[in-house]
Amino acid sequence: MKKLINRQPGILGRCLLGLLPFVLILLVYQSASSARLAENPDDRLLPAFSTMAETVERLAFEPNRRTGEYVLWADTLASLKRLALGVGIAALAGLVFGIATGAIPYVRAGLSPVITGISLVPPMALLPILFIVFGLDELSKVMLIIIGITPFIIRDLQGRALEIPEEQLIKLQTLGANTWQIVLRLVLPQIMPRLINAVRLSLGSAWLFLIAAEAIAATEGLGYRIFLVRRYLSMDVILPYVVWITLLAFLIDFALRRYSQWRYPWFHASQR
Amino acid sequence: MAIIELRNVWKEYGADVVLERLTASVEEGEFVTIVGASGCGKTTFLKMLLGTEQPTRGEFLLDGKPIPDEPDATRGIVFQRYSVMPHLTAERNVMLAGELAANRWLGYAFGQRKRQLREEARAMLDQVGLGHASDKYPHELSGGMQQRLALAQALMKKPRILLLDEPFGALDPGIRKDMHQLVLNLWRTQQLTVFMITHDLEEGFYLGTRLWVFDKDRLDPQAPGAYGARITYDLPVGQDDKQTLKTITAQVDDTARALS
Ligand SMILES: Nc1ncnc2c1ncn2[C@@H]1O[C@H](COP(=O)(O)OP(=O)(O)OP(=O)(O)O)[C@@H](O)[C@H]1O
Ligand SMILES: [Mg+2]
């Protein structure tokens, strides 16, 4: 018999083992929910799966009586728009400043201290200021995401740019490259997969900032809905929304990873 | 006129003298092989040739003028590793020099120019025996193939001086011989001036036109940094004899022991 550390599960075994905890969680929930409902059929804390299914169907496939919108999709669209805008702008700013500070010592000397300083400010503490300056609508929510994750992306990419082997920088110069060409042909292409990595790492915080901002001031959005129905203890809405947000987060992460593996095979080969 | 001229060149890091009193001159087209104990300053010398390090005293001249203090297209280099761009296929790596020259702003070539560069790259890859691997990324190539790629890439720029820092140190002796043959052929056809560092003394005895031995002729075992290495032997290749080889080997080994 081989030692435990040397025994690998097969592909089927891995799938089953991976699914097991999820099944267990569902079972525990199911039994706890039935127990509570048997005691009090009006209990709202742990709604039955059937109740949640009805609620989801109502939110996703029946137009809202007042506004005529499909609530789940309207919320999802609003949230994803803010997230995409915030993360997109942060990624772009991170790319530009990360490369500039990483590749050019004079820019680094000028900007690194201030970027480090900004990255130490807790973004949530700035939220009131954002609401005051940018008003209560879209801009301040997007700004919170941008302010929250850009410093991290810049600092990460600056570090990655500095990690590019000096041999390659010298090599490119001996091939006749000027500074701009070095940025374009060496630094940028090598930073791109690392940008995707940095974005994947900062998506968790981006969701956090999004939901926090939506909870405080919004008229639609996934975070807004959760905090709205909290007043009525509508766990049948909150739980499916949480699962839905989690699923979205997973899908975005998965898509980014797959794209990176397909587009930058050389990068993933060197990561192993 | 000599392409490279050293006039009493010193290189010191703080109180440590790495190289001292280097005086020599190298004509265009020479193939200088450099040997010496590990840590005696061979790479440092190459860095001064490259322009990434500056001499602390003396004059280091290229065509009679102080050597430029940053790397440029006159001096090509193949390092021991990390020499090729990991994000480009073999073919794109070899096209790089041409693409950079084709467009100052983008560093990419298009259309007719690009096709032409691709053909030149293919021809060069064939010459170094990588014709079959043109679409592979460096990580898909073996160490020896990567070094041949680096050589092809550097030669596309047609540098006047080619610097090789133990480029084949990690390779099997058999493959190393093949690579040396390759370098010698390219050197003859492209009329380069070559400086090549190697660890293998015997290699230096038959390769190229001239052998330099870097060694400390003064050595204080208590303070190995007190004196720097000099060019202790400057021999035309071909006039070698077993006795000289033995003497040099013994001296270099002594220095190596003192430095380690
Ligand atoms: N940037 C630096 N600062 C201080 N000392 C340095 C620096 N670079 C090199 N040295 C010292 O200079 C000496 C020569 O180093 P160098 O790399 O030139 O040796 P080498 O002959 O190429 O050795 P090897 O054969 O192992 O590659 C070493 O003692 C090293 O510690
Ligand atoms: Mg060295």
Side-chain angles (χ1 to χ4, degrees):
Chain A
M1 187 98 149
K2 274 186 174 176
K3 288 188 266 316
L4 197 54
I5 57 159
N6 291 326
R7 286 166 63 191
Q8 301 280 352
I11 189 131
L12 186 67
R14 203 169 313 163
C15 288
L16 289 178
L17 280 174
L19 276 177
L20 193 63
F22 289 102
V23 174
L24 281 179
I25 291 171
L26 289 182
L27 282 179
V28 168
Y29 180 88
Q30 168 76 49
S31 62
S33 161
S34 336
R36 278 187 79 102
L37 288 171
E39 239 171 63
N40 171 14
D42 289 331
D43 182 70
R44 315 211 53 166
L45 204 57
L46 300 177
F49 287 122
S50 56
T51 319
M52 286 195 267
E54 278 164 29
T55 309
V56 169
E57 198 181 336
R58 179 168 52 76
L59 292 174
F61 304 113
E62 288 170 21
N64 182 291
R65 245 172 273 132
R66 203 158 38 79
T67 59
E69 277 179 336
Y70 294 86
V71 176
L72 177 67
W73 305 123
D75 284 342
T76 306
L77 194 69
S79 285
L80 285 185
K81 242 196 223 156
R82 291 167 189 146
L83 191 74
L85 211 58
V87 173
I89 293 173
L92 198 67
L95 188 66
V96 170
F97 285 100
I99 287 181
T101 55
I104 299 171
Y106 268 94
V107 179
R108 181 161 62 249
L111 292 186
S112 241
V114 70
I115 291 169
T116 308
I118 292 175
S119 74
L120 294 174
V121 179
M124 288 305 291
L126 294 179
L127 191 54
I129 303 178
L130 295 181
F131 282 144
I132 294 169
V133 176
F134 298 111
L136 291 178
D137 51 358
E138 293 308 293
L139 189 57
S140 51
K141 296 175 202 82
V142 173
M143 279 306 288
L144 181 66
I145 299 176
I146 295 174
I147 290 179
I149 65 175
T150 306
F152 164 77
I153 298 182
I154 294 179
R155 292 206 319 161
D156 190 54
L157 293 188
Q158 174 187 325
R160 302 291 158 253
L162 285 170
E163 273 171 19
I164 293 175
E166 204 187 355
E167 284 89 342
Q168 288 169 23
L169 288 167
I170 294 174
K171 182 63 174 260
L172 217 59
Q173 295 178 62
T174 64
L175 295 180
N178 56 38
T179 300
W180 174 239
Q181 288 180 322
I182 291 173
V183 167
L184 219 54
R185 293 298 317 258
L186 175 65
V187 185
L188 178 65
Q190 295 217 13
I191 286 298
M192 278 311 288
R194 287 155 170 117
L195 172 67
I196 293 179
N197 241 347
V199 165
R200 281 177 62 198
L201 287 176
S202 52
L203 269 173
S205 329
W207 275 106
L208 170 74
F209 295 130
L210 174 70
I211 291 172
E214 285 181 344
I216 296 170
T219 51
E220 56 179 354
L222 297 167
Y224 160 75
R225 192 69 51 197
I226 294 180
F227 278 81
L228 179 74
V229 301
R230 177 187 61 109
R231 283 177 236 156
Y232 321 112
L233 277 181
S234 294
M235 290 292 271
D236 57 329
V237 176
I238 297 177
L239 288 178
Y241 260 64
V242 170
V243 171
W244 176 234
I245 292 172
T246 311
L247 186 68
L248 286 175
F250 170 78
L251 287 177
I252 295 171
D253 185 67
F254 182 79
L256 284 174
R257 192 178 78 216
R258 274 307 160 91
Y259 172 76
S260 180
Q261 281 169 346
W262 167 76
R263 184 71 182 73
Y264 306 106
W266 52 269
F267 174 72
H268 295 275
S270 71
Q271 290 302 91
R272 251 180 273 130
Chain B
M1 188 174 57
I3 184 166
I4 290 292
E5 197 171 344
L6 312 173
R7 292 191 192 144
N8 192 30
V9 168
W10 289 61
K11 179 68 193 178
E12 294 139 305
Y13 288 110
D16 284 349
V17 185
V18 178
L19 296 167
E20 66 174 58
R21 293 179 288 149
L22 301 184
T23 299
S25 99
V26 175
E27 297 298 319
E28 188 121 35
E30 283 197 86
F31 190 129
V32 182
T33 315
I34 300 172
V35 297
S38 180
C40 77
K42 304 181 296 294
T43 299
T44 306
F45 176 73
L46 226 57
K47 282 182 180 163
M48 290 197 285
L49 264 171
L50 198 58
T52 56
E53 292 281 353
Q54 276 69 49
T56 43
R57 302 184 218 174
E59 286 179 289
F60 204 125
L61 306 177
L62 169 71
D63 294 327
K65 288 191 274 296
I67 198 155
D69 61 359
E70 65 175 353
D72 63 29
T74 50
R75 294 150 288 164
I77 183 149
V78 178
F79 292 103
Q80 197 156 3
R81 49 198 294 237
Y82 300 128
S83 252
V84 289
M85 307 297 145
H87 62 282
L88 297 176
T89 60
E91 185 181 274
R92 295 307 292 261
N93 259 297
V94 179
M95 287 167 68
L96 197 51
E99 285 196 290
L100 291 170
N103 188 316
R104 251 179 66 79
W105 289 103
L106 296 178
Y108 286 95
F110 304 96
Q112 178 64 33
R113 183 94 187 85
K114 183 168 181 176
R115 275 193 294 280
Q116 188 191 338
L117 285 174
R118 177 168 290 145
E119 258 158 49
E120 289 169 18
R122 290 257 164 90
M124 177 55 91
L125 283 170
D126 278 336
Q127 219 180 329
V128 299
L130 287 177
H132 59 285
S134 58
D135 289 332
K136 291 214 158 86
Y137 282 98
H139 74 262
E140 299 169 297
L141 304 176
S142 73
M145 291 161 89
Q146 287 188 29
Q147 290 307 81
R148 271 183 279 168
L149 179 60
L151 203 57
Q153 183 186 44
L155 289 174
M156 282 306 277
K157 189 65 196 171
K158 303 215 179 346
R160 290 178 60 209
I161 302 175
L162 181 64
L163 309 174
L164 305 167
D165 189 355
E166 293 186 51
F168 314 127
L171 306 184
D172 291 338
I175 301 177
R176 211 152 76 201
K177 285 241 156 55
D178 296 347
M179 301 292 279
H180 287 152
Q181 222 46 56
L182 178 66
V183 171
L184 285 173
N185 285 338
L186 294 169
W187 163 64
R188 271 187 213 109
T189 50
Q190 296 217 12
Q191 288 154 0
L192 308 159
T193 307
V194 178
F195 289 85
M196 171 161 155
I197 297 178
T198 163
H199 242 114
D200 185 349
L201 249 169
E202 272 182 74
E203 223 167 74
F205 257 74
Y206 68 82
L207 217 65
T209 60
R210 192 166 169 185
L211 170 70
W212 282 0
V213 180
F214 276 30
D215 202 1
K216 301 192 183 227
D217 54 1
R218 296 183 290 175
L219 187 60
D220 179 352
Q222 260 65 53
Y227 302 104
R230 309 185 56 205
I231 302 175
T232 52
Y233 285 84
D234 183 348
L235 304 170
V237 164
Q239 300 184 6
D240 53 333
D241 60 275
K242 285 274 164 320
Q243 193 48 48
T244 324
L245 179 58
K246 261 195 204 135
T247 324
I248 297 176
T249 311
Q251 286 174 359
V252 168
D253 283 350
D254 276 350
T255 312
R257 243 171 258 126
L259 287 183
S260 62

